[in-house]
Amino acid sequence: MEFIKVNKAYAKHIALIQLNRPKELNALNLQLMGEIRDCLKELDQDDEVRVIIISGDERAFAAGADIKQMAGKSTIDMWKVDQFSTWDQINKTRKPIIAAVSGFALGGGCELAMTCDMIVASETAQFGQPEIKIGVMPGAGGTQRLTKALGKAKAMELVLTGKFISAEEALGYGLINKVVPVEVYLKEAVSLASEIAAMSPIAVQMAKEAVKRSFEVPLEEGLHFERKNFYMLFSSEDQKEGMNAFVEKRKPDFKGK
Ligand code: DAK
């Protein structure tokens, strides 16, 4: 891996993927995106890993797709590369992903953070979709995910002007989960990840799948999907462990079985 650093055991059951193109503000070139995709696929298969954190560095989570790499491309060049299959694959990750964001999360960087399941941000974080300023528009879900989080008026303003919002504003809109001082944003992400990692990983992944489904299907279909996953969990050992532990007044020890 050239453009990401991976620690599969950053904390108990928690893996950390750190974007590592600091001089380019972690601009997302094709290779970097491919590395994230491949790494997530591998971590999804690793039973020791229950939660994944993606972070950048203090200055930037990611300042967007690599403009220098895209500038001269034709429609056919873009079509051949088929970046969307990479983003679709990332979106299929079963395990929960927390984005730990400091500094710029712009364009594809904001879209990558929004593709994650939760966002913990430092006070210095800035979110935006500035593609309009370079003659294009968001292409990796920005118009959809930002609008679902912020509502039409604010999303329209951000997408059409390219202006950024602060972490505090993003929190107010419900785009992110938490804002903390820059010194502790990664620690805070680990703390949230640890809470989730203590649960049954099977229940966590099925619950994640059901919540995500609510963005895609009508209520009745979503409820049907939720019920199917709910029933399925009664065939896990973790369900017996969780409920027996409650009855026996002890802490459950979930094995992911
Ligand atoms: N691409 C390439 N290089 C970048 C970059 C980017 N997005 N952002 C920053 N850099 C580079 C700068 O060129 C500079 O490099 P050198 O000049 O030193 O060689 C270095 O990082 C430091 O940046 P600055 O000198 O500009 O730093 P400042 O603090 O002055 O400004 C900034 C920080 C973040 C405000 C500024 O760098 C900036 O405006 N960056 C561009 C932000 C942007 O427009 N982002 C959106 C890019 S378009 C798709 C999926 C996704 C996308 C498209 C398709 N498919 C699935 C098909 C996404 C598109 C985008 O994200």
Side-chain angles (χ1 to χ4, degrees):
M1 299 287 182
E2 186 181 346
F3 295 125
I4 60 174
K5 288 195 265 182
V6 184
N7 185 339
K8 286 187 185 180
Y10 187 70
K12 192 177 176 199
H13 296 311
I14 296 164
L16 174 68
I17 300 177
Q18 204 153 16
L19 312 190
N20 189 29
R21 289 187 82 201
K23 281 198 206 115
E24 293 82 7
L25 306 185
N26 293 322
L28 306 168
N29 65 16
L30 293 176
Q31 185 181 331
L32 192 160
M33 289 308 299
E35 288 179 9
I36 296 176
R37 176 202 57 214
D38 295 346
C39 179
L40 286 173
K41 211 169 174 190
E42 198 183 315
L43 294 175
D44 231 11
Q45 297 299 317
D46 185 334
D47 282 344
E48 271 309 299
V49 175
R50 294 186 179 180
V51 184
I52 300 157
I53 297 173
I54 301 183
S55 79
D57 52 49
E58 280 192 15
R59 190 167 171 218
F61 177 73
D66 190 326
I67 301 170
K68 292 166 192 166
Q69 192 177 49
M70 275 187 304
K73 293 267 193 293
S74 68
T75 304
I76 297 302
D77 294 333
M78 295 294 278
W79 177 78
K80 275 188 181 166
V81 169
D82 187 22
Q83 282 187 68
F84 292 110
S85 62
T86 296
W87 285 79
D88 289 346
Q89 185 61 48
I90 290 172
N91 190 40
K92 281 184 191 147
T93 307
R94 283 181 161 182
K95 291 177 184 169
I97 311 176
I98 298 172
V101 175
S102 178
F104 300 111
L106 306 175
C110 186
E111 292 171 314
L112 178 62
M114 291 191 293
T115 304
C116 296
D117 303 301
M118 282 160 281
I119 303 175
V120 172
S122 84
E123 287 163 344
T124 62
Q126 295 188 71
F127 298 85
Q129 298 289 159
E131 291 91 338
I132 203 80
K133 292 183 177 171
I134 53 170
V136 287
M137 59 177 278
T143 61
Q144 305 302 300
R145 292 198 175 96
L146 200 67
T147 306
K148 285 190 160 75
L150 271 56
K152 178 186 157 194
K154 202 66 196 175
M156 198 68 93
E157 186 183 335
L158 260 58
V159 170
L160 300 191
T161 67
K163 66 169 72 154
F164 307 161
I165 55 170
S166 68
E168 273 304 332
E169 280 177 276
L171 183 69
Y173 288 121
L175 180 69
I176 68 176
N177 296 73
K178 214 163 198 181
V179 183
V180 293
V182 65
E183 301 77 33
V184 293
Y185 78 99
L186 195 51
K187 208 170 142 205
E188 199 62 40
V190 172
S191 159
L192 177 59
S194 299
E195 268 186 66
I196 299 164
M199 308 299 164
S200 159
I202 303 175
V204 163
Q205 288 172 45
M206 287 201 187
K208 164 177 166 165
E209 196 182 18
V211 172
K212 283 187 79 173
R213 193 56 67 104
S214 76
F215 285 97
E216 282 146 29
V217 299
L219 180 64
E220 202 179 336
E221 207 179 317
L223 289 173
H224 183 74
F225 188 83
E226 180 189 79
R227 278 167 212 170
K228 181 200 68 140
N229 279 10
F230 177 77
Y231 280 140
M232 287 240 289
L233 289 171
F234 279 76
S235 58
S236 72
E237 288 176 22
D238 283 351
Q239 173 265 330
K240 300 285 172 296
E241 168 64 11
M243 292 192 181
N244 287 338
F246 176 82
V247 174
E248 292 159 17
K249 298 187 186 299
R250 61 175 173 83
K251 257 183 90 176
D253 178 16
F254 294 117
K255 296 273 196 290
K257 290 184 178 165

